[in-house]
Amino acid sequence: MCLRRHHVSRSHNTGCGLIVSAYQQAYHCLRDEGPLSVLARLTMHLTQLNHECLLHLFSFLDKDSRRSLSLTCNQLREIFMDPCLWNLLHFSSPCQLKGDNFVLGPSLRYLTICWYSSRVLQVCNIEDWLKTSFQRDICSKHESLVSRFLAHVCHTCPNLLKLTLSGCGHITDQDVISVLRSCRKLRCLHLENCVRITDRSLEGVVAHGDGLEEVTVDFCRNITQTGLQTVSDKSPGIQLSAERSAGMIPDSTPEKREPLRRTLQKVLLFS
């Protein structure tokens, strides 16, 4: 390794002078102490970075990597626990909501919970009174996870701007209304394939969604055309989307299906 002394005229700025000084110091250190000693002196540890730099570095990591790094020392744990790091959260399963690899706080702006699983269609989306005991047992293990998480969001994330819930078959109208009441800065609400959502959520949009700009209720089978028209009439400033929702077959109760069953029994009896 060879470092040469460079001649710099006085017309150059102070920064150039500092660079030359550093080169000269490195040159003398190499000559007197050797390259290994100089390398050790010039090495910078991660924890020597300031708080802002560490936050920026952490922002490039996923939730699990952030948590793993935070377990190495108290300083990095403080970075992990800083609410400023967590302005966006994405979950691909309700079970992930139970993890300890994220922090909820006032800095959260964008929250997405999407569950694209065959279990949603085959089990969770079935009407409760039609489920078998086995299907009810499966749902009992996760049916309250999203609702409890949203309740926590209501208490800790008042600055939420966008909420996306997809495939959350167990959330109710009350969950949505609670978010609308607590997160007054909410601008976008996206609901997709949430089978328990009804026109009552749309009534909550009209009553509490003063700051809402965009509402999506795609493939929510218990949304009706009447509910959509109510939002359009009372909140014309909201951009409303409802792909397939009002055209799907809504849930029915055992009482409504009982006359049909009796009619079929009579037909079979007298045929």
Side-chain angles (χ1 to χ4, degrees):
M1 181 177 181
C2 179
L3 292 176
R4 298 179 180 176
R5 300 189 188 194
H6 295 273
H7 173 73
V8 181
S9 64
R10 293 182 180 273
S11 60
H12 283 67
N13 58 26
T14 307
C16 292
L18 292 175
I19 294 174
V20 172
S21 177
Y23 268 107
Q24 291 175 343
Q25 184 179 2
Y27 175 82
H28 290 297
C29 289
L30 278 172
R31 185 183 61 184
D32 300 335
E33 302 178 21
L36 294 180
S37 177
V38 175
L39 182 61
R41 183 179 297 181
L42 295 177
T43 299
M44 185 176 188
H45 296 284
L46 181 64
T47 53
Q48 291 177 277
L49 296 174
N50 61 30
H51 193 86
E52 289 73 19
C53 289
L54 289 174
L55 276 176
H56 184 67
L57 291 176
F58 265 68
S59 68
F60 291 96
L61 305 177
D62 57 29
K63 295 191 295 291
D64 290 330
S65 298
R66 292 176 183 180
R67 180 184 177 277
S68 298
L69 193 57
S70 73
L71 298 177
T72 58
C73 69
N74 291 333
Q75 183 180 354
L76 296 183
R77 183 66 180 176
E78 290 179 4
I79 301 298
F80 176 82
M81 297 300 296
D82 191 334
C84 295
L85 180 64
W86 305 96
N87 65 337
L88 183 150
L89 283 173
H90 182 281
F91 301 95
S92 57
S93 168
C95 296
Q96 294 180 357
L97 303 176
K98 299 187 296 183
D100 59 351
N101 58 351
F102 62 91
V103 174
L104 284 181
S107 295
L108 183 64
R109 300 292 189 273
Y110 307 94
L111 173 62
T112 300
I113 305 174
C114 294
W115 195 17
Y116 300 115
S117 169
S118 58
R119 183 185 299 181
V120 175
L121 296 175
Q122 297 173 0
V123 179
C124 299
N125 282 6
I126 298 177
E127 298 165 59
D128 288 339
W129 67 280
L130 288 175
K131 290 178 181 175
T132 64
S133 58
F134 177 69
Q135 290 170 331
R136 291 194 188 96
D137 182 63
I138 293 176
C139 289
S140 66
K141 298 176 181 178
H142 64 261
E143 61 184 353
S144 62
L145 289 178
V146 179
S147 295
R148 288 204 304 265
F149 186 82
L150 290 178
H152 195 28
V153 168
C154 290
H155 289 94
T156 58
C157 309
N159 300 313
L160 188 67
L161 297 178
K162 182 176 181 179
L163 174 64
T164 301
L165 302 172
S166 179
C168 300
H170 296 288
I171 64 167
T172 64
D173 294 318
Q174 187 57 51
D175 297 326
V176 175
I177 293 173
S178 295
V179 172
L180 291 172
R181 285 176 173 171
S182 303
C183 305
R184 306 298 294 183
K185 296 181 180 180
L186 194 67
R187 295 292 178 265
C188 299
L189 175 64
H190 292 180
L191 305 174
E192 179 185 4
N193 194 21
C194 299
V195 296
R196 294 192 180 188
I197 297 302
T198 69
D199 288 349
R200 186 163 170 254
S201 290
L202 297 181
E203 294 171 3
V205 166
V206 173
H208 309 291
D210 298 332
L212 281 173
E213 300 172 355
E214 181 180 338
V215 174
T216 301
V217 282
D218 293 342
F219 299 95
C220 297
R221 66 185 182 219
N222 288 305
I223 293 293
T224 68
Q225 188 61 46
T226 301
L228 296 174
Q229 190 62 45
T230 300
V231 176
S232 299
D233 293 340
K234 295 185 177 181
S235 301
I238 295 179
Q239 182 180 347
L240 182 63
S241 170
E243 184 178 354
R244 299 287 298 276
S245 290
M248 301 178 73
I249 300 175
D251 291 349
S252 60
T253 61
E255 292 75 16
K256 292 182 179 179
R257 293 200 175 189
E258 188 66 21
L260 178 60
R261 189 173 67 116
R262 290 180 179 177
T263 301
L264 291 175
Q265 287 177 342
K266 289 180 180 180
V267 171
L268 293 174
L269 181 64
F270 293 103
S271 60

